[in-house]
């Protein structure tokens, strides 16, 4: 029960309003040490409830601090993650009087400066743009008492380490730090060692385990038959909300065009699209205007989309971790889902690696059946 945590009633009410009844395992193990003021290093995937696991202690801590000064900072790897996190923060901070600002690149500075000047206590940001604001004197981080590094492995993957170090130099030494990461490579542990104080280590489950409620299968398909076969799958009634992954941005664009030409409403999400296009694609997919979202790995990792019935790997990913991340986009919060992969003769090796990571072979399906 959330009421077992030392949280203000207003936060408990907001948790209830969000529809959370029972803490998820990561929440149960990360919230108590975080509320006790300890640094925390947590291994947690997107979908585990990690966002509330750091936001609730953050909001609790902020509620006791003076208003109008940045007290809580969340660093995220991408603008999508930042936007989602800030959305969560708004929901969980209702009636607390706490305000948040979200900062990310690729858009104008003015609205962000306005939000900062309005006196946000919580800043959710991607590192590059936050540094730009720091350089221009738009934000003062000297009052930050709690820092969250969200999806720390991705932050490092994307080359943000130098930016992170520069940001850390602007923060008070006595702050509390919570680090969340899907994987714990040595670079993350070194970061924790250097910038955190005797952190509580929290890990839930085995990393790289797909949700149990996903049915997985592979279809052997000739490369030039992929689109035709995808259309066949999409036209099945159970395929209500389909997330399709391609290997490259170019292939994502091309596939989305092919689907649209075939009369399927498809949106497209990848790193070369403008901020506005990405938001429109996500929003349209979430609200059902698009039944299909075609995406690349980088754009889709960390996205929280409810109700994805099918994840389809139009192209098999090269790394087994990406396979796990992709199929984790369906069957969220206990719902069931299907993860189907197209494999060509060239994919034999990548498929073996994926099966090795999963610890079991994937079902081979004929093109006339689904899982
Ligand atoms: P996250 O891992 O933070 O991206 O969260 C994944 C999804 O789980 C989000 O849609 C959350 O709103 C939802 N969620 C978080 N905590 C809980 C909870 N205790 N009970 C039910 N759903 C939750």
């Amino acid at each position: 029960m959330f009421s077992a945590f030392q949280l203000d009633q207003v936060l408990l009410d907001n948790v209830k309003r969000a529809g959370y009844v029972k803490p998820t395992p990561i929440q149960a193990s990360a919230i108590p040490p975080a509320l006790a003021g300890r640094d925390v290093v947590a291994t947690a995937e997107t979908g585990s409830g990690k966002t509330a696991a750091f936001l609730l202690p953050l909001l609790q801590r902020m509620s006791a601090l003076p208003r109008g000064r940045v007290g809580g900072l969340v660093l995220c790897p991408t603008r999508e993650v930042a936007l989602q996190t800030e959305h969560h923060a708004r929901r969980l901070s209702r009636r607390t009087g706490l305000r948040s600002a979200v900062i990310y690149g690729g858009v104008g500075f003015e609205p962000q400066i306005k939000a900062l000047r309005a006196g946000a206590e919580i800043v959710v940001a991607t590192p590059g743009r936050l540094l730009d604001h720091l350089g221009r004197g738009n934000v003062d981080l000297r009052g930050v008492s709690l820092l969250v590094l969200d999806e720390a492995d991705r932050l490092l993957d994307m080359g943000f380490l130098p930016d992170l170090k520069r940001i850390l130099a602007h923060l008070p030494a006595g702050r509390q730090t919570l680090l969340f990461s899907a994987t714990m490579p040595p670079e993350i542990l070194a970061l924790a060692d250097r910038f955190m104080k005797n952190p509580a280590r929290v890990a839930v489950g085995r990393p790289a385990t797909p949700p149990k409620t996903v049915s997985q299968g592979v279809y052997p398909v000739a490369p030039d038959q992929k689109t035709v076969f995808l259309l066949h799958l999409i036209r099945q009634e159970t395929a209500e909300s389909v997330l399709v992954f391609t290997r490259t941005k170019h292939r994502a664009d091309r596939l989305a065009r092919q689907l649209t030409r075939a009369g399927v409403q498809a949106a497209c999400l990848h790193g070369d699209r403008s901020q506005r296009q990405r938001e429109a694609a996500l929003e349209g997919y979430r609200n059902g205007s698009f039944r299909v979202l075609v995406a690349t790995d980088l754009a889709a990792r960390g996205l929280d989309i409810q109700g994805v019935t099918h994840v389809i790997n139009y192209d098999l990913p090269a790394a087994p971790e990406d396979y796990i991340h992709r199929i984790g986009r369906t069957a969220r919060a206990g719902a069931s889902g299907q993860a189907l992969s197209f494999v060509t003769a060239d994919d034999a090796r990548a498929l073996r690696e994926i099966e090795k990571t999963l610890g079991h072979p994937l079902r081979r399906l004929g093109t006339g059946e689904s899982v």
Side-chain angles (χ1 to χ4, degrees):
M1 295 297 280
F2 281 94
S3 53
F5 301 135
Q6 302 290 310
L7 291 169
D8 289 349
Q9 189 58 43
V10 61
L11 292 179
L12 290 174
D13 291 345
N14 290 341
V15 163
K16 196 164 157 193
R17 192 176 281 121
Y20 306 167
V21 179
K22 214 171 136 255
T24 64
I26 189 69
Q27 291 163 1
S29 42
I31 291 176
L35 281 176
R38 286 194 64 182
D39 283 0
V40 174
V41 172
T43 310
E45 303 255 356
T46 302
S48 61
K50 68 179 170 68
T51 314
F54 61 72
L55 282 178
L56 288 170
L58 181 137
L59 293 170
Q60 180 64 37
R61 184 155 185 160
M62 293 310 107
S63 66
L65 291 180
R67 298 298 146 100
R69 183 152 201 223
V70 181
L73 174 64
V74 182
L75 294 178
C76 306
T78 65
R79 35 198 172 182
E80 279 84 8
V81 178
L83 278 166
Q84 270 170 207
T85 305
E86 203 250 353
H87 178 74
H88 260 76
R90 272 174 202 258
R91 219 165 41 157
L92 292 175
S93 63
R94 279 181 60 154
R95 294 174 202 270
T96 60
L98 292 166
R99 287 154 302 177
S100 47
V102 61
I103 304 292
Y104 49 85
V107 293
F109 277 79
E110 273 314 311
Q112 300 181 353
I113 293 173
K114 248 199 204 139
L116 292 168
R117 297 236 167 101
E121 289 84 14
I122 298 158
V123 169
V124 181
T126 53
R129 177 56 70 92
L130 182 64
L131 274 175
D132 289 343
H133 280 292
L134 274 167
R136 298 175 186 206
N138 296 336
V139 61
D140 179 0
L141 299 178
R142 285 172 301 177
V144 169
S145 61
L146 195 152
L147 166 72
V148 178
L149 299 176
D150 187 21
E151 305 201 13
D153 50 355
R154 283 182 77 198
L155 278 167
L156 295 200
D157 267 359
M158 294 176 72
F160 280 131
L161 187 60
D163 286 357
L164 275 185
K165 288 185 174 161
R166 287 171 60 202
I167 292 168
L168 286 165
H170 286 267
L171 304 181
R175 64 164 195 278
Q176 180 182 6
T177 307
L178 311 178
L179 181 155
F180 283 71
S181 191
T183 57
M184 279 296 154
E187 300 89 305
I188 303 271
L189 295 173
L191 191 72
D193 207 42
R194 173 138 175 235
F195 294 104
M196 297 170 74
K197 298 174 298 285
N198 182 28
R201 284 288 300 272
V202 172
V204 171
R206 218 160 39 99
T209 307
K212 287 192 190 63
T213 45
V214 186
S215 313
Q216 303 173 61
V218 301
Y219 289 104
V221 186
D224 61 354
Q225 291 301 306
K226 284 183 174 184
T227 303
V228 172
F229 187 54
L230 177 66
L231 280 165
H232 161 75
L233 288 179
I234 288 173
R235 289 187 170 128
Q236 293 178 359
E237 272 169 36
T238 54
E240 281 167 31
S241 179
V242 185
L243 183 55
V244 182
F245 285 97
T246 62
R247 197 172 51 238
T248 64
K249 299 166 194 170
H250 173 71
R251 286 172 69 79
D253 277 333
R254 194 189 61 178
L255 179 59
R257 274 197 311 271
Q258 287 170 332
L259 293 177
T260 306
R261 264 203 305 273
V264 173
Q265 294 297 324
C268 183
L269 188 72
H270 60 65
D272 278 356
R273 306 208 80 202
S274 72
Q275 181 62 16
R276 197 184 298 153
Q277 288 173 321
R278 288 158 74 148
E279 274 167 27
L282 266 180
E283 183 50 33
Y285 182 61
R286 284 201 176 110
N287 70 24
S289 327
F290 297 112
R291 227 172 97 209
V292 179
L293 180 66
V294 183
T296 56
D297 284 298
L298 196 61
R301 262 177 87 174
L303 284 184
D304 178 24
I305 310 170
Q306 302 292 324
V308 176
T309 55
H310 290 61
V311 167
I312 298 182
N313 293 316
Y314 184 86
D315 297 319
L316 208 60
E321 300 79 57
D322 286 331
Y323 177 84
I324 311 256
H325 273 284
R326 286 180 180 188
I327 73 170
R329 302 304 106 213
T330 185
R332 290 168 81 78
S336 63
Q338 299 200 11
L340 308 172
S341 303
F342 296 175
V343 295
T344 65
D346 289 341
D347 292 324
R349 199 161 140 194
L351 180 60
R352 262 202 314 277
E353 287 300 315
I354 289 168
E355 292 180 321
K356 211 164 89 191
T357 303
L358 290 169
H360 60 80
L362 287 169
R363 257 169 64 197
R364 267 56 173 177
L365 301 163
T367 43
E369 52 179 322
S370 54
V371 188

